[in-house]
Amino acid sequence: MPELHVASGKVREIYSVDDDRLLLVASDRISTFDVVLPTEIPDKGRVLTGLSGFWFARTEQIVPNHLLALREDGRSTECRLLEMLPIECVVRGYITGSGWKDYLANGAVCGHRLPEGLRESDKLPEPIFTPSTKAQTGHDENITRDQAAELVGRERFDEVELVAIALYRFASEHAEARGIILADTKFEFGLDENGTLVLADEAFTPDSSRFWPVDEYEPGHGQPSFDKQFVRDYCETLGWDKTYPGPELPHEVVAGTRARYVEAFERLTGISFDDYLADPEVVLR
Ligand code: Q0Z
């Protein structure tokens, strides 16, 4: 019965429940500029867990997922233990981040030739699948489609690309109609005991996707992030060198950031966050 701790991410923990189940626990820790800060954002882990649950429930018709149950604490997900694929599955609908850097250097991202004259943060003509390696430490590295196909097999690659783009189209349309651009997103997939492809980890959270407010969208430069912008702006006022340890956050920055997470949850789900706290499984219905 007691869950055993098996792994830590920057802001999440994994426990094993039994031979075929894991427990993913989302903490209230926040990272910025790749540094986990000493100050937590109350309920951040609950917002992210609720959003993942919401998207898992609504994308079952596209692909099965690992979710078994949301626990009463609102931050813990019981999930099926899978054999994870060794690639990060990124879909980009807008050109930003490492995609923008690769486009400037090569006119292409992961082997996708892109039109000339794109500006930073422009919408792409079609969403593109841009796989990356799973780095144990440091940053994931973009790889070509052929490198990814070598890692997972050609047929599996084709399936993952199709499913990832279908998921992105579905969620980004839903989100944009509610005032939030999902500029890009990262999925992790696994295989069940039958070799069936299963969506795992988290889905369309602000930690796995770039959320941009529609009403502030302006291509030509980097966009403010929906959730972390107060934290970044505050950190920029300090002259901090972005190495450990990061700064403590003042209460106004904590409160403003918490409010942004709750706002994203409520806009995307149409569910009041208080209702989620009272019964997390509301997001699954
Ligand atoms: C997810 C991660 C986290 C650190 C392994 N259903 C699954 N089956 C097997 N493995 C995983 C999953 Cl979700 C799995 N990660 C990413 C999550 C903390 C790393 F909460 N690693």
Side-chain angles (χ1 to χ4, degrees), residues 7-15 22-26 66-67 79-84 134 188 190 198-202:
S8 290
K10 272 197 177 143
V11 302
R12 296 179 301 160
E13 307 294 335
I14 307 187
Y15 300 83
L22 293 176
L23 191 67
L24 297 194
V25 182
H66 75 164
L67 184 126
C79 61
R80 292 194 271 161
L81 175 65
L82 303 168
E83 177 130 15
M84 301 301 286
K134 286 186 180 179
E188 293 199 33
V198 178
L199 178 61
D201 205 46
E202 55 183 337

Side-chain angles (χ1 to χ4, degrees), residues 172-239:
S172 61
E173 264 177 47
H174 173 104
E176 212 151 316
R178 287 158 183 80
I180 296 175
I181 293 170
L182 298 181
D184 52 29
T185 194
K186 181 175 84 181
F187 305 111
E188 293 199 33
F189 290 94
L191 305 181
D192 72 9
E193 59 284 2
N194 305 312
T196 300
L197 187 71
V198 178
L199 178 61
D201 205 46
E202 55 183 337
F204 303 109
T205 70
D207 280 0
S208 65
S209 312
R210 285 188 176 87
F211 285 28
W212 295 342
V214 163
D215 55 12
E216 292 170 42
Y217 173 60
E218 190 184 77
H221 52 82
Q223 303 300 294
S225 130
F226 193 96
D227 51 306
K228 288 183 178 168
Q229 201 55 43
F230 293 150
V231 172
R232 295 204 184 125
D233 290 350
Y234 172 73
C235 289
E236 296 289 10
T237 68
L238 299 174

Side-chain angles (χ1 to χ4, degrees), residues 101-206:
K101 288 204 179 78
D102 292 350
Y103 172 72
L104 284 182
N106 312 311
V109 186
C110 298
H112 297 275
R113 246 358 270 171
L114 295 176
E116 283 177 42
L118 291 176
R119 298 161 296 174
E120 185 175 10
S121 310
D122 262 337
K123 188 171 191 168
L124 295 171
E126 300 290 338
I128 56 172
F129 183 61
T130 63
S132 58
T133 57
K134 286 186 180 179
Q136 285 310 308
T137 59
H139 275 131
D140 298 338
E141 234 181 279
N142 289 342
I143 54 178
T144 64
R145 313 157 56 64
D146 285 345
Q147 288 172 303
E150 228 162 90
L151 287 168
V152 302
R154 174 60 61 181
E155 277 189 55
R156 190 67 75 180
F157 176 84
D158 290 345
E159 182 187 14
V160 164
E161 175 173 51
L162 211 72
V163 166
I165 289 193
L167 289 167
Y168 175 80
R169 286 190 193 280
F170 175 84
S172 61
E173 264 177 47
H174 173 104
E176 212 151 316
R178 287 158 183 80
I180 296 175
I181 293 170
L182 298 181
D184 52 29
T185 194
K186 181 175 84 181
F187 305 111
E188 293 199 33
F189 290 94
L191 305 181
D192 72 9
E193 59 284 2
N194 305 312
T196 300
L197 187 71
V198 178
L199 178 61
D201 205 46
E202 55 183 337
F204 303 109
T205 70

